[in-house]
Amino acid sequence: MHRSSIRQKACAIFSLALLGLTSTAVQAADAPAWEDKYVNPKPLADDVVLPMPCGGSMVFRKVEVPSNGPLDDYPISIGGTDEGRGYSEGAHNAYVAGAFPAGKTLRYTLMAKYDVTDLQWAAMMEGDCPTPSLVKRMPKVEIGWFDAVSFADRYSQWLRKNALAKLPKDGGEVGYLRLPTEVEWEFAARGGMKVSPSQFQDRLPPMTEGLSKQVWYAGSQSANGKLQLVGLLEPNSLGLFDMLGNVDQIVLEPYRLNKLSRDHGQPGGFVVRGGNYLTAEQDIRSSYRQELPLYDGEGPRRSKTTGFRLVVAGPVLTSADKLKEVQGAWDKLGAVSAAAATPAADPVEELSKIAKSVADPATQARLQSVSLTLRANIASRDEQRDRAVRTSLRLGAFLGRKLADDSKAVETLAKIYKTRVDAGQADDPRTKNFKDELDKEQTVLDDILRYYADTLLRTADDYGEEVVRKQYDLLQVELQGLGLAELKPFVEKHMGHLTAYRKDHKVARNLWLKNWNTM
């Protein structure tokens, strides 16, 4: 066959293939949108919906985290306290931060509301558009880590080509789909900022109606040994379904052992979290964590109990301006504040100057290492200080609310007592009972007022105004996320008393009590 004939046949084959691809693309674009019952069986008002091929979609929820700067992250405690599983799930400190801005003191990452289903998998990975049906609302299983990563990559590329404007942005960078990190997954599984810190560290997240209302686990009273459709049960505090049970969920990083305060040095297979429909009820827990090998026999490891869900995240350094902002924040990290420092008061700066003046490279390297360690210790101290400030502000708000309630109760008792005395019933036993109750409640009120004043003075005297103001802003975000927005006016009132005290240093207990009485 002549070379020109071969070229002509190749061109013809390519044209037919291109025609087929164009036809499929048109078919996908013209496909009717999937009904909610196939993709979002329990819609919520603030769902975030991203399109998929074939008229499909995937639903996400915002997982929000407080943030006060480019290097600010949120400290949490993850893992469990069961010593028998300490090598894998031992409790330890971790940090989480959002990928996209949502105002000055808040960032968020999007996490899929449900596990990826058979229907969504077919639309993205199998070429022809599937016919939506309830049976295809099953979680996609029999997959491994490479399969999940491949799905995320294809979906990211499809969105960038077909729905770029739908993706969230940070600076000039558009988000993309990936597997969640272990910290992101556990933060969301425990309820994120929608639960209190003490609830967050419980073995299970809050479930007001019991485990079986949120989790598919082994046994006839639950999954009964069968995989279940997504979205049949109730969501967690963040509006996420089936975070625990039904299918194990693949996360991004390789498995590592826990070595008390740190990860062990050897990375292993991939990690699955949350348990599945064959997991015993007593083994369901937020810290549930297992290792699976990447390969099994001659190919990738796949399991009938393993599925996955995605997050929408993005790069960290999104622009030249962001890089400059991070560099500025890094330079300040662990440094003594300018207001409190003299030229010799900042040990980090002094060490840096000394290191630069030393000629010996080895000594210079050692001094720089000490400087980095010192900066890390100061940064850790600052994070502990910030948490203590927020705790102190919350305590002031709670005490203020208690003062508001108790002062009104005392006022009511005082009015009743005065009315009975004015009516000539001072010697009546019931009047004396009212007087005894009034005296008791007044004593309690006075004690709480003293404790409130002590708390206010300690906060004002121990922490700088700028530090308190920043943590006040973050606390307002925390309270909103925890569903405690009703406390925000009390925090605001307490902050007003703090500000006034800073100006005149008057311990105005009676005025503060009067202010609380009007709440």
Side-chain angles (χ1 to χ4, degrees):
M1 184 181 292
H2 293 292
R3 187 171 298 174
S4 59
S5 299
I6 295 173
R7 189 183 300 116
Q8 288 172 356
K9 285 194 173 184
C11 289
I13 292 170
F14 177 77
S15 298
L16 287 171
L18 184 60
L19 181 61
L21 285 174
T22 304
S23 175
T24 301
V26 171
Q27 180 187 5
D30 291 344
W34 296 345
E35 296 178 50
D36 276 347
K37 64 182 179 180
Y38 301 126
V39 70
N40 191 16
K42 294 187 179 178
L44 297 171
D46 45 357
D47 287 341
V48 177
V49 181
L50 294 180
M52 295 187 76
C54 305
S57 60
M58 186 176 289
V59 186
F60 294 82
R61 303 285 299 168
K62 285 186 177 181
V63 180
E64 297 176 329
V65 182
S67 176
N68 217 14
L71 287 180
D72 198 19
D73 49 14
Y74 192 68
I76 57 175
S77 178
I78 62 174
T81 56
D82 185 344
E83 291 186 5
R85 300 186 182 97
Y87 63 89
S88 182
E89 299 176 12
H92 58 284
N93 294 328
Y95 299 85
V96 64
F100 308 106
K104 292 183 178 180
T105 57
L106 197 66
R107 293 179 70 84
Y108 70 92
T109 299
L110 293 177
M111 178 165 281
K113 185 176 177 179
Y114 311 96
D115 295 303
V116 172
T117 64
D118 287 330
L119 181 61
Q120 291 166 328
W121 178 274
M124 185 58 61
M125 306 295 282
E126 294 178 3
D128 294 333
C129 286
T131 301
S133 66
L134 284 180
V135 73
K136 289 189 174 72
R137 213 178 79 196
M138 288 287 190
K140 175 61 182 176
V141 293
E142 296 286 358
I143 57 163
W145 187 86
F146 296 105
D147 301 310
V149 169
S150 178
F151 180 93
D153 174 51
R154 286 201 192 185
Y155 192 10
S156 293
Q157 293 194 49
W158 186 90
L159 283 168
R160 286 171 173 260
K161 293 175 183 176
N162 297 278
L164 188 64
K166 295 280 187 179
L167 289 166
K169 295 181 180 179
D170 183 20
E173 288 288 340
V174 178
Y176 50 80
L177 283 297
R178 62 164 169 78
L179 290 169
T181 66
E182 285 209 65
V183 174
E184 288 171 337
W185 185 93
E186 192 163 334
F187 181 69
R190 290 179 179 272
M193 289 181 59
K194 295 293 184 182
V195 301
S196 69
S198 59
Q199 289 174 318
F200 187 91
Q201 294 188 46
D202 286 343
R203 188 172 186 274
L204 291 169
M207 298 180 187
T208 55
E209 298 184 61
L211 185 69
S212 61
K213 294 295 184 180
Q214 280 193 24
V215 181
W216 293 114
Y217 51 87
S220 57
Q221 73 277 28
S222 185
N224 201 25
K226 297 179 181 178
L227 184 65
Q228 303 292 324
L229 299 176
V230 304
L232 290 178
L233 300 180
E234 295 303 311
N236 74 358
S237 302
L238 290 169
L240 300 169
F241 288 78
D242 306 317
M243 288 298 289
L244 303 180
N246 210 24
V247 292
D248 295 309
Q249 296 167 52
I250 302 171
V251 295
L252 186 63
E253 310 99 313
Y255 179 88
R256 290 176 185 268
L257 294 170
N258 181 287
K259 194 172 180 181
L260 296 179
S261 61
R262 62 176 177 84
D263 288 336
H264 183 260
Q266 179 186 357
F270 66 94
V271 180
V272 294
R273 301 297 308 261
N276 59 68
Y277 62 94
L278 298 178
T279 302
E281 178 181 1
Q282 63 268 24
D283 290 332
I284 294 292
R285 58 194 183 274
S286 298
S287 60
Y288 184 99
R289 178 176 186 262
Q290 301 290 330
E291 178 188 24
L292 293 179
L294 284 165
Y295 295 94
D296 187 11
E298 296 181 354
R301 170 66 182 263
R302 297 183 174 95
S303 167
K304 66 179 182 179
T305 62
T306 299
F308 70 106
R309 72 179 69 214
L310 299 177
V311 297
V312 182
V316 174
L317 300 176
T318 55
S319 65
D321 288 340
K322 181 68 175 288
L323 174 59
K324 192 173 182 180
E325 187 183 7
V326 169
Q327 287 173 331
W330 167 257
D331 290 340
K332 294 177 182 177
L333 194 64
V336 177
S337 63
T342 64
D346 188 337
V348 175
E349 182 181 348
E350 286 299 299
L351 271 175
S352 179
K353 289 179 180 178
I354 294 170
K356 290 177 181 178
S357 67
V358 172
D360 178 43
T363 303
Q364 190 177 66
R366 291 176 65 187
L367 287 171
Q368 288 172 342
S369 177
V370 171
S371 177
L372 286 173
T373 301
L374 183 58
R375 287 178 68 179
N377 290 339
I378 293 174
S380 177
R381 177 209 64 186
D382 288 349
E383 290 176 352
Q384 294 173 14
R385 174 206 63 197
D386 292 345
R387 291 196 297 273
V389 171
R390 291 201 300 277
T391 299
S392 182
L393 290 174
R394 282 185 70 169
L395 176 59
F398 276 110
L399 290 172
R401 185 165 69 172
K402 179 68 173 169
L403 287 172
D405 293 338
D406 287 6
S407 64
K408 291 169 185 173
V410 168
E411 186 176 300
T412 300
L413 284 171
K415 287 179 180 178
I416 294 172
Y417 175 72
K418 185 177 184 303
T419 299
R420 295 184 68 86
V421 171
D422 291 345
Q425 299 175 349
D427 294 329
D428 188 289
R430 292 182 62 190
T431 304
K432 290 182 178 179
N433 288 339
F434 275 116
K435 182 66 167 64
D436 290 341
E437 185 68 14
L438 175 60
D439 290 343
K440 186 190 301 181
E441 292 298 322
Q442 185 65 56
T443 300
V444 172
L445 181 65
D446 292 341
D447 288 341
I448 295 173
L449 183 58
R450 279 193 295 272
Y451 189 33
Y452 174 77
D454 291 344
T455 300
L456 188 149
L457 267 61
R458 281 198 298 269
T459 304
D461 294 341
D462 291 350
Y463 307 110
E465 185 174 1
E466 182 180 353
V467 170
V468 173
R469 174 57 62 178
K470 284 184 177 180
Q471 299 314 309
Y472 164 77
D473 291 338
L474 286 178
L475 179 58
Q476 296 285 54
V477 176
E478 277 188 348
L479 292 175
Q480 186 71 40
L482 288 169
L484 296 174
E486 73 274 9
L487 275 179
K488 292 170 72 174
F490 294 89
V491 177
E492 184 177 358
K493 178 73 72 176
H494 179 54
M495 189 68 178
H497 292 166
L498 270 169
T499 303
Y501 172 77
R502 285 186 187 280
K503 290 179 180 178
D504 58 20
H505 289 275
K506 291 181 180 179
V507 183
R509 288 191 185 89
N510 291 335
L511 178 60
W512 295 338
L513 181 60
K514 184 178 179 181
N515 289 158
W516 287 119
N517 188 258
T518 62
M519 293 292 285

